Amino acid sequence: MLLVSAELAPGRSGVFVLPKDAKGLSLRPYRMVDGSRAAEVGLADVTVPSSALLGGNDDAASVVEAVLHRAIAALSADAVGAIAAMVKATVEYTKTRVQFGQPIANFQALQHRMVALKIKEEEARAAALFATLSLDGSPEIRARAISGAKAKIGRCARAVHQDAIQLHGAIGTTNELPLGGYAKRLIAYEILFGSTREHLRRYGAIIAQPQVAAEGLLMAPQAWSMFR
C-alpha cells in the first residue's frame, strides 16, 4: 500500500491509501547514493473509491507537514551519528598515520582542523536536539527549528565528510573503510526532504516574520521534562 497526498480543492489536500497494484500506478525502484531504496511513483488516471481517503474531507496539509518534520528530525539524529563516527575515526587515524617520523596528529595545523571538525559535530548535535524538542510546539516553532536544523546539519555534514576523507588521504576513498559509507549517508541527508539551501531559504523567511522572531525558541518549559 502507498500513502499518496493529493489536492482535494484549492488550498486543501488529502491523503489516499492506494494498493501498489492499482491500475494506472507505476513504480520505478532505484538505489540512492547511500544504498537505501527509493522509487519514482507514476500516477496516470488512477481512480480510487471514496473510502481510500483518510480522515474524511479534512485538510491533511498540517498533518503531512508534521509527519515530514518528524522524519527530518529522525534523519538529523542519524546524520549526527554519522558525523560523530567520521570525526572519531579521523582523530584515531591521525594518531597512527606516521609522516616525517611522527604521527600527523602532532602537527598543529592538523590539530586545528580536527578541533574544527569536533565543533561542527557539536553544532550539529545541538541543532538536532533543538529540532527534537520543538516537535510538539506550534507549527511555526516546529518549522523554524526543523528548517534551521536541516540547514545547519547539512552544512556541518558537508564540511565534516570532506575534511575527514581528505585527512585520511587516498585510503579515505577506498571501500575498505566505512568512511565512504558515512559520507554517502550524509550526502543523501543533504538532499532528502528538501536540500540544505532550500531549508536555509525557508528558515530565513520564517525568522523574517516579526511575530515569529518575537517568540521564544522553545515551547513551554514542560518540553524539558523528559530530561529531568
Side-chain angles (χ1 to χ4, degrees):
M1 310 296 283
L2 298 180
L3 297 180
V4 179
S5 60
E7 188 178 60
L8 300 176
R12 190 161 59 89
S13 62
V15 176
F16 293 83
V17 181
L18 270 64
K20 197 170 71 170
D21 58 355
K23 184 178 180 180
L25 187 151
S26 61
L27 291 175
R28 186 182 66 83
Y30 60 89
R31 290 283 182 180
M32 296 179 62
V33 65
D34 63 342
S36 58
R37 296 190 303 167
E40 183 179 292
V41 180
L43 301 169
D45 297 324
V46 177
T47 302
V48 295
S50 58
S51 59
L53 175 61
L54 293 177
N57 291 318
D58 295 335
D59 184 20
S62 61
V63 176
V64 171
E65 182 183 60
V67 170
L68 291 177
H69 285 167
R70 280 163 171 74
I72 292 173
L75 285 174
S76 296
D78 182 84
V80 170
I83 289 172
M86 293 193 82
V87 172
K88 181 179 180 181
T90 302
V91 172
E92 291 177 349
Y93 175 76
T94 58
K95 291 179 180 178
T96 59
R97 174 71 168 89
V98 176
Q99 188 69 38
F100 303 113
Q102 59 181 317
I104 61 174
N106 292 346
F107 298 123
Q108 191 177 51
L110 297 189
Q111 291 174 0
H112 289 171
R113 290 181 65 179
M114 286 182 285
V115 169
L117 291 181
K118 188 63 179 179
I119 291 173
K120 294 294 184 186
E121 176 191 333
E122 295 304 322
E123 288 178 349
R125 180 173 286 107
L129 177 59
F130 177 47
T132 301
L133 289 172
S134 302
L135 287 177
D136 291 327
S138 67
E140 294 79 12
I141 287 178
R142 188 179 66 234
R144 177 176 60 179
I146 291 296
S147 285
K150 190 67 161 63
K152 166 60 73 174
I153 297 171
R155 287 186 164 188
C156 291
R158 176 66 62 92
V160 168
H161 74 67
Q162 287 182 344
D163 263 13
I165 289 176
Q166 186 181 44
L167 286 168
H168 273 78
I171 195 174
T173 63
T174 63
N175 290 330
E176 282 73 20
L177 292 183
L179 213 64
Y182 287 126
K184 292 175 182 177
R185 200 176 187 93
L186 293 175
I187 290 172
Y189 170 80
E190 290 184 61
I191 299 170
L192 287 171
F193 301 118
S195 66
T196 299
R197 179 173 293 184
E198 170 60 19
H199 278 282
L200 185 61
R201 184 196 64 77
R202 294 182 194 179
Y203 181 76
I206 292 170
I207 64 173
Q209 303 174 31
Q211 69 276 18
V212 175
E215 292 182 0
L217 289 178
L218 287 172
M219 53 185 161
Q222 56 264 32
W224 296 89
S225 59
M226 70 181 77
F227 296 101
R228 292 174 183 169

